[in-house]
């Protein structure tokens, strides 16, 4: 579970959503046209899944209730042709695990440095978290790897961690342009 501080920073990340409009197919399939990548996908909402909808020039949080309907603050809205939706991007499991496990200080420092380098948590295209495989181990030590792509550059992050008597995190950021950054968090 994310603390309030983590949750606020997580919500403010760039590129956290995919925005586009919908069409209703012959079999009542919901076709989603991604504005950014100009791709078409069939949406398969799960009951109670959250999505934002643009109604009268304002974004509203909606919860899918089935049968092509969203529950929005103003009542029920039946999805129809050309409705504009903003769908939250999912964070890759290994990265999400690291972010939830990190202390608030490590989370804020890591996310702030990533943002300062013009990347977002939602730009992650590859993640490997060694800590996932050490859940049953008392003394955890290892390195995890993450790749981020903001469509202008690529950033590789190595996360060196130690858990046990000491709590240490060291993040090494390397951007394809040659820019490098090092971030260390120690907690006794």
């Amino acid at each position: 579970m994310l603390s309030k501080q983590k949750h606020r920073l997580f919500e403010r990340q760039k590129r956290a959503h995919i925005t586009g409009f919908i069409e209703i197919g012959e079999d009542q399939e919901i076709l989603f046209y991604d504005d950014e990548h100009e791709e078409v996908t069939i949406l398969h909402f799960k009951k109670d899944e959250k999505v934002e909808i643009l109604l009268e020039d304002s974004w509203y949080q909606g919860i899918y209730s089935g049968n092509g309907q969203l529950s929005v603050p103003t009542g029920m809205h039946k999805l129809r042709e050309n409705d504009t939706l903003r769908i939250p991007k999912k964070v890759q499991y290994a990265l999400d695990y690291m972010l939830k496990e990190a202390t608030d200080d490590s989370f804020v420092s890591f996310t702030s440095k990533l943002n300062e380098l013009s990347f977002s948590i939602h730009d992650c295209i590859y993640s490997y978290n060694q800590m996932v495989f050490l859940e049953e181990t008392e003394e955890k030590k290892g390195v995890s790897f993450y790749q981020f792509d903001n469509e202008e550059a690529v950033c590789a992050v190595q996360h060196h961690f130690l858990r046990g008597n000491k709590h240490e995190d060291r993040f090494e950021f390397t951007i394809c342009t040659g820019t490098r950054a090092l971030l260390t968090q120690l907690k006794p």
Side-chain angles (χ1 to χ4, degrees):
M1 196 69 167
L2 293 177
S3 70
K4 286 182 183 180
Q5 183 180 19
K6 286 181 179 180
H7 190 69
R8 275 193 303 272
L9 187 55
F10 197 82
E11 283 184 335
R12 290 195 306 256
Q13 292 296 294
K14 291 182 179 180
R15 297 174 292 283
H17 299 89
I18 300 169
T19 304
F21 67 94
I22 63 169
E23 284 186 8
I24 309 298
E26 289 179 22
D27 298 330
Q28 298 304 305
E29 292 177 321
I30 302 170
L31 303 173
F32 180 74
Y33 292 83
D34 179 347
D35 288 345
E36 186 177 341
H37 298 102
E38 298 179 1
E39 296 174 351
V40 180
T41 56
I42 297 174
L43 291 181
H44 298 284
F45 287 120
K46 295 179 185 138
K47 191 163 174 53
D48 298 326
E49 188 170 340
K50 293 179 181 177
V51 64
E52 293 181 35
I53 185 165
L54 186 63
L55 299 171
E56 299 173 13
D57 296 325
S58 294
W59 287 104
Y60 290 92
Q61 179 82 32
I63 298 173
Y64 188 71
S65 58
N67 299 324
Q69 294 193 44
L70 290 178
S71 174
V72 294
T74 57
M76 294 302 285
H77 175 81
K78 178 80 172 159
L79 292 173
R80 55 183 179 254
E81 295 279 325
N82 296 316
D83 275 348
T84 300
L85 301 180
R86 203 160 55 181
I87 301 170
K89 287 183 183 176
K90 306 259 190 280
V91 176
Q92 291 192 9
Y93 175 78
L95 177 60
D96 188 53
Y97 186 98
M98 185 272 286
L99 295 171
K100 287 178 179 173
E101 188 277 336
T103 64
D104 284 359
D105 288 343
S106 285
F107 178 93
V108 169
S109 296
F110 169 77
T111 305
S112 297
K113 179 54 75 176
L114 196 61
N115 294 167
E116 182 184 310
L117 296 169
S118 300
F119 292 89
S120 162
I121 289 169
H122 299 284
D123 293 333
C124 187
I125 58 171
Y126 174 80
S127 61
Y128 172 82
N129 188 337
Q130 179 63 26
M131 199 178 302
V132 170
F133 303 101
L134 303 175
E135 269 189 352
E136 303 301 319
T137 310
E138 237 176 90
E139 187 78 18
K140 299 173 184 158
K141 182 178 182 180
V143 182
S144 300
F145 304 93
Y146 307 97
Q147 290 279 147
F148 298 86
D149 183 346
N150 66 7
E151 297 190 4
E152 293 177 13
V154 175
C155 178
V157 178
Q158 291 182 15
H159 173 215
H160 299 258
F161 62 86
L162 175 63
R163 300 291 185 275
N165 293 336
K166 294 181 180 178
H167 189 106
E168 296 179 9
D169 289 302
R170 188 176 83 228
F171 298 98
E172 297 178 11
F173 301 81
T174 306
I175 300 176
C176 63
T177 59
T179 301
R180 296 177 64 193
L182 181 64
L183 177 66
T184 304
Q185 292 288 315
L186 305 172
K187 182 181 172 188

